[in-house]
């Protein structure tokens, strides 16, 4: 399923709800888009929808943030500063993408080939104007 939505940042609630309802503990959300398009903003909104009470920030400098959702966790990973897949593996990346914890990955192009496609939700964000974005949501046919 592919869906394209043009929304202002104030209107992303419908997208947040849709992704939150699809997400299970084994799913990965792969986020792509230029700097400043709102990848972290979307993760913050989904985290809040899922029940994360703590402040969610961009993991740009620490690469990985972990948040509690009740008795569960979720991971927010930013691969912008990594130069190779080997760097991701060296920080224990396989544990994050193969575990039983929802995982949001910004700048996911680096690891896309290593992800189980049937477990991934793909979101591409394009900047249209100051407060408007195009969100392309792709859910594979055999998504579980």
């Amino acid at each position: 399923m592919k869906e394209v939505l043009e929304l202002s940042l104030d209107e992303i609630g419908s997208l947040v709800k849709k992704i939150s309802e699809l997400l299970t503990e084994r799913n990965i959300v792969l986020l792509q888009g230029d700097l400043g398009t709102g990848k972290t903003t979307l993760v913050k909104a989904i985290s809040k929808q899922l029940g994360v009470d703590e402040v969610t920030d961009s993991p740009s400098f620490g690469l990985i943030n972990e948040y509690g959702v009740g008795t569960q966790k979720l991971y927010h990973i930013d691969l912008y500063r990594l130069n190779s897949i080997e760097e991701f593996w060296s920080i224990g990346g396989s544990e994050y993408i193969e575990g039983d914890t929802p995982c949001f990955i910004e700048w996911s192009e680096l690891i896309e080939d290593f992800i189980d496609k049937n477990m991934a939700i793909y979101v591409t964000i394009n900047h249209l104007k100051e407060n408007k974005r195009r969100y392309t949501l792709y859910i594979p046919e055999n998504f579980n």
Side-chain angles (χ1 to χ4, degrees):
M1 169 187 88
K2 181 177 178 180
E3 187 171 350
V4 179
L5 304 164
E6 291 187 6
L7 305 167
S8 72
L9 295 177
D10 296 330
E11 298 172 325
I12 64 172
S14 60
L15 179 61
V16 166
K17 185 175 185 219
K18 182 175 292 213
I19 293 172
S20 298
E21 289 172 352
L22 288 168
L23 199 61
T24 68
E25 64 255 355
R26 293 196 58 227
N27 292 140
I28 297 172
V29 179
L30 301 173
L31 299 150
Q32 298 178 357
D34 292 336
L35 283 171
T37 54
K39 295 178 296 295
T40 298
T41 299
L42 183 61
V43 173
K44 286 180 179 186
I46 295 169
S47 298
K48 185 176 181 179
Q49 174 78 23
L50 293 173
V52 173
D53 291 330
E54 56 196 293
V55 174
T56 54
D57 290 319
S58 174
S60 294
F61 296 103
L63 300 178
I64 301 167
N65 288 346
E66 180 180 320
Y67 303 109
V69 182
T71 59
Q72 298 290 89
K73 303 184 275 191
L74 72 83
Y75 297 118
H76 182 190
I77 301 172
D78 187 328
L79 302 178
Y80 181 73
R81 295 181 359 175
L82 296 187
N83 296 312
S84 70
I85 191 65
E86 288 76 21
E87 287 182 81
F88 182 66
W89 301 138
S90 73
I91 62 168
S94 61
E95 294 175 36
Y96 298 104
I97 64 171
E98 295 170 3
D100 289 333
T101 301
C103 189
F104 297 88
I105 304 175
E106 296 187 32
W107 303 98
S108 61
E109 297 88 343
L110 183 69
I111 64 162
E112 242 180 55
D113 293 339
F114 302 94
I115 301 293
D116 179 347
K117 305 300 186 234
N118 294 323
M119 301 305 292
I121 297 169
Y122 299 81
V123 181
T124 302
I125 307 172
N126 299 101
H127 188 266
L128 297 177
K129 32 183 152 161
E130 186 175 324
N131 193 32
K132 197 84 157 176
R133 307 290 189 268
R134 177 180 299 118
Y135 299 88
T136 304
L137 177 67
Y138 175 72
I139 310 296
E141 251 181 67
N142 298 323
F143 180 75
N144 19 344

